[in-house]
Amino acid sequence: MSYSEAQLKALADEAVAMGRKCREGANADYIPFLASVPSDLCGLSIICCDGTLVHSGDCSYRFALESISKVCSMVLAMEQKGSENVREKIGAEPTGLPFNSVMALTTHHDKPLTPLVNAGAMATVSFIDAPDKESRWRMILDFQQQLMSENVTLSNEVNKSEQDTNFHNRAIAWLLYAAGNCFCDPMEACEVYTRQCSTLVTCDDLATLGGTLANNGVNPITGKRVISPENVAPSLAEMTMEGLYEFSGDWAFLVGLPSKSGVGGGVVSVVPGKMAIAGFSPPLDEVGNSVRAMRMIRHVADKLNLSIYNSGHDTVH
Ligand code: GLU
């Protein structure tokens, strides 16, 4: 069943009105720039596989992609090396621990387990074939643009704020390197990873990223194939297992959609073959997921009965 544009727009408006009432959570403050973003911002975009796009709230505000960039680089690594190589070298298991946990690494022989935590994301960046740092970076930025839109650009301000304070990630990169799990210079991996987190996107861009995955690898706005069909399911599986960090299992239980969050306040959820829903609002819960974005997405998913685990998928209440 497909939904009318008016139906989706009404639902997006309803979700944003509900989201705005929520006063829980706090901006990430370990990255100085993120602490300064207005906390009241709140938006939701829904994109269908046919390119229909509806949005409500602050959907043209450009915010930092942060951890959601991990999905883009993971897919790029799969495109270059095959999903099985990514699983073997980086992993496909939830860590059950915070996104920057050193313990998650050290208790698993310094293997990151998933490309969707900081250690795994830096290992993934290093796994991408590139002759030097600037080519590695250009490849990643170009891929983000293909998955979303050409408007995705690096913010020098966010990047500086992160590069000046990313000591913990630098330590993780050296641990990976010491164990043979970083495949380029560790400081190059950390620097490029930090840049990929510092690109600015809108809620519509984020929905387009999810829409490309929902649409079996074809960007629903540009109509261009970006991901090979065989890499879509493994990417969604990784998102299910680790996309919302230690809340990933609860999210699968409650909402049932492969998703990814970032500490910039974005969350994107994929409904394979149908649509993607992206929410944005800066205040985070203690795990690092946007409280309002999760509530808004859950509202839409509940109303449309979208969980991939429901056999009766597709009902409009
Ligand atoms: N740039 C952030 C970091 O490395 C991303 C974390 C996130 O969004 O979860 O800590």
Side-chain angles (χ1 to χ4, degrees):
M1 170 181 174
S2 60
Y3 314 100
S4 77
E5 201 171 325
Q7 216 172 7
L8 293 176
K9 171 69 178 147
L11 198 49
D13 287 343
E14 196 178 287
V16 169
M18 192 205 65
R20 286 200 196 280
K21 289 194 193 125
C22 166
R23 310 310 306 171
E24 290 161 38
N27 286 34
D29 59 6
Y30 73 102
I31 297 170
F33 175 87
L34 296 181
S36 71
V37 178
S39 303
D40 284 344
L41 290 164
C42 183
L44 186 86
S45 303
I46 304 175
I47 192 164
C48 300
C49 288
D50 66 2
T52 305
L53 172 70
V54 301
H55 45 216
S56 184
D58 303 303
C59 287
S60 48
Y61 186 88
R62 300 178 79 222
F63 58 95
L65 185 59
E66 296 299 343
S67 201
I68 304 167
S69 67
K70 292 167 180 159
V71 172
C72 307
S73 297
M74 169 185 74
V75 175
L76 177 57
M78 286 185 189
E79 288 292 304
Q80 278 194 356
K81 307 279 182 112
S83 61
E84 184 49 23
N85 267 322
V86 171
R87 190 183 72 83
E88 196 200 311
K89 296 280 189 204
I90 295 150
E93 290 291 342
T95 67
L97 286 164
F99 59 85
N100 57 1
S101 172
V102 170
M103 199 166 82
L105 204 55
T106 50
T107 49
H108 295 95
H109 310 290
D110 291 322
K111 188 179 173 188
L113 297 189
T114 162
L116 300 184
V117 295
N118 292 9
M122 287 187 278
T124 304
V125 164
S126 76
F127 196 40
I128 290 165
D129 277 330
D132 54 51
K133 181 165 74 184
E134 291 313 314
S135 323
R136 190 179 303 282
W137 161 240
R138 272 195 305 276
M139 239 178 249
I140 288 174
L141 177 62
D142 176 70
F143 201 64
Q144 287 190 6
Q145 290 172 336
Q146 288 183 54
L147 288 164
M148 291 178 269
S149 84
E150 298 212 326
N151 301 327
V152 175
T153 51
L154 178 71
S155 160
N156 291 325
E157 195 185 354
V158 180
N159 185 42
K160 180 164 182 352
S161 180
E162 298 213 18
Q163 303 281 3
D164 286 350
T165 54
N166 65 357
F167 310 113
H168 191 90
N169 284 342
R170 287 187 227 174
I172 291 174
W174 279 115
L175 284 175
L176 286 170
Y177 186 72
N181 290 327
C182 186
F183 311 102
C184 74
D185 173 83
M187 291 304 91
E188 175 178 332
C190 185
E191 186 178 335
V192 174
Y193 160 74
T194 305
R195 285 191 211 173
Q196 76 171 27
C197 291
S198 306
T199 56
L200 295 182
V201 302
T202 64
C203 215
D204 288 353
D205 293 329
L206 201 52
T208 307
L209 165 63
T212 304
L213 285 158
N215 198 25
N216 205 27
V218 175
N219 182 316
I221 300 289
T222 64
K224 291 198 183 130
R225 172 161 299 284
V226 189
I227 311 171
S228 313
E230 67 269 20
N231 290 330
V232 172
S235 301
L236 295 177
E238 295 269 18
M239 290 166 74
T240 299
M241 287 182 287
E242 188 62 47
L244 265 63
Y245 303 122
E246 303 103 289
F247 198 64
S248 303
D250 291 273
W251 185 255
F253 186 102
L254 295 168
V255 181
L257 296 177
S259 302
K260 185 72 197 89
S261 67
V263 294
V267 180
V268 59
S269 296
V270 180
V271 191
K274 295 188 176 61
M275 64 172 81
I277 312 162
F280 159 63
S281 191
L284 310 177
D285 63 14
E286 62 289 345
V287 172
N289 299 318
S290 165
V291 183
R292 291 194 193 109
M294 286 194 297
R295 293 223 178 142
M296 294 187 291
I297 293 171
R298 187 171 172 191
H299 181 76
V300 175
D302 282 351
K303 286 278 176 180
L304 301 181
N305 198 20
L306 294 176
S307 167
I308 58 171
Y309 305 113
N310 278 340
S311 44
H313 223 22
D314 276 353
T315 330
V316 181
H317 299 307

